[in-house]
Amino acid sequence: MKIFVIDDQFVIRKKIIKVIQDLNRFPFEFVEVSNERSFYKELHLLDIADSTLFLIDIELKNYFNGIDLAGKIREKNANCFIVFITSFETYGIEVINRQILPFAYLSKNLPMDQLNAKARQLIDHYLMTIQDRESNEIKITVESNNQKVIVYEKNIIYIATIPGYKKMLLIKLLDGEMLVTSRLKSIREQLKAPYFFKELKSFIINLNQIEKIDQTEGFIQFEDQTILDVGISGTRKINQYLKRNGLE
């Protein structure tokens, strides 16, 4: 995913890039825009993905400001992410009237500890929003009762093997459960959403649905209050994964 940092102050650009890099949330591709006039003129040539994030100084000292630039970006892509970097809070009405729909505002005057906290909140929200967009569309196809059934990944709580049946799985969903004819390996290969934990032998777990992990007893409690016994080793692996990826 690309992050464009557009500010006419070299120090601010470097500061913001370093703050986000230090979060270690994702290997972002940073594009540091040092010549905003050329960028503005050549914007029509740029391919903008829905996941692209623009961090724009709202007070660009040019024949255009950050709001003008954001307006041109919105003309090219209505779904990308725009965050205004600002020292003031006097541009709200103009931003609303231009229908730019910024994702957030980031104050360049914050003390370093507050800037780090704000940046962490911003990036986590950004990644979660992208994940939600993708999960609303991602689906798998499974076989149940000799029929092909489409299952949306966001609706899956967990998938489990059934002891004694080599090609039969239980899929626990937000609105019920179903038995499907498949192997866990095949389902692992189909699932694309990043929130599935696939490192257990007999289970695939939707990490977004976990409410509680009891490593002493070896069970998981999900948000719908379903309890799943994955063993002490299983809960330990999940906790280690969450810690390793900063998701605790």
Side-chain angles (χ1 to χ4, degrees), residues 124-137:
D124 286 348
H125 186 201
Y126 164 61
L127 292 174
M128 185 63 70
T129 302
I130 291 175
Q131 177 179 299
D132 288 345
R133 285 181 181 180
E134 292 176 346
S135 63
N136 284 334
E137 301 173 357

Side-chain angles (χ1 to χ4, degrees), residues 5-62:
V5 182
I6 308 164
D7 194 295
D8 49 21
Q9 297 181 57
F10 172 84
V11 173
I12 296 296
R13 294 198 306 270
K14 294 298 184 183
K15 179 181 178 181
I16 290 175
I17 290 174
K18 185 177 188 307
V19 166
I20 296 176
Q21 286 176 329
D22 288 347
L23 295 175
N24 290 320
R25 286 296 191 264
F26 192 87
F28 296 110
E29 178 185 348
F30 288 93
V31 180
E32 182 181 352
V33 178
S34 56
N35 189 331
E36 60 271 10
R37 180 173 295 194
S38 295
F39 183 79
Y40 185 82
K41 289 181 177 179
E42 298 171 5
L43 185 60
H44 65 284
L45 302 174
L46 183 67
D47 289 327
I48 302 176
D50 287 353
S51 60
T52 300
L53 171 60
F54 292 88
L55 300 172
I56 305 173
D57 179 9
I58 208 168
E59 298 111 15
L60 290 174
K61 298 177 179 64
N62 219 303

Side-chain angles (χ1 to χ4, degrees), residues 6 39-40 43-44 46-56 65-84 94-105 122 126 129 133:
I6 308 164
F39 183 79
Y40 185 82
L43 185 60
H44 65 284
L46 183 67
D47 289 327
I48 302 176
D50 287 353
S51 60
T52 300
L53 171 60
F54 292 88
L55 300 172
I56 305 173
N65 61 21
I67 298 175
D68 297 323
L69 176 57
K72 287 193 69 171
I73 291 171
R74 271 285 171 260
E75 290 175 4
K76 288 219 47 151
N77 187 301
N79 300 314
C80 65
F81 297 81
I82 294 174
V83 172
F84 284 124
E94 184 178 355
V95 170
I96 292 171
N97 290 340
R98 297 279 290 274
Q99 297 185 326
I100 292 171
L101 303 176
F103 184 65
Y105 293 84
L122 169 65
Y126 164 61
T129 302
R133 285 181 181 180

Side-chain angles (χ1 to χ4, degrees), residues 112-197:
M112 201 61 188
D113 59 335
Q114 293 183 34
L115 180 61
N116 287 332
K118 182 69 175 178
R120 182 181 300 108
Q121 181 185 39
L122 169 65
I123 294 301
D124 286 348
H125 186 201
Y126 164 61
L127 292 174
M128 185 63 70
T129 302
I130 291 175
Q131 177 179 299
D132 288 345
R133 285 181 181 180
E134 292 176 346
S135 63
N136 284 334
E137 301 173 357
I138 300 175
K139 55 196 174 185
I140 61 173
T141 302
V142 296
E143 184 176 321
S144 179
N145 294 325
N146 297 317
Q147 294 183 334
K148 296 292 183 181
V149 179
I150 292 175
V151 178
Y152 285 91
E153 294 191 9
K154 66 174 182 176
N155 293 332
I156 298 173
I157 298 176
Y158 68 82
I159 304 172
T161 58
I162 300 176
Y165 295 87
K166 290 186 177 181
K167 291 190 65 177
M168 187 70 69
L169 301 173
L170 171 70
I171 299 183
K172 175 64 177 175
L173 301 165
L174 293 175
D175 58 354
E177 58 185 39
M178 63 190 304
L179 295 176
V180 302
T181 305
S182 183
R183 294 183 183 274
L184 204 62
K185 178 182 178 182
S186 175
I187 299 295
R188 284 194 187 102
E189 292 172 351
Q190 281 198 69
L191 293 171
K192 303 301 181 188
Y195 45 75
F196 285 107
F197 184 74

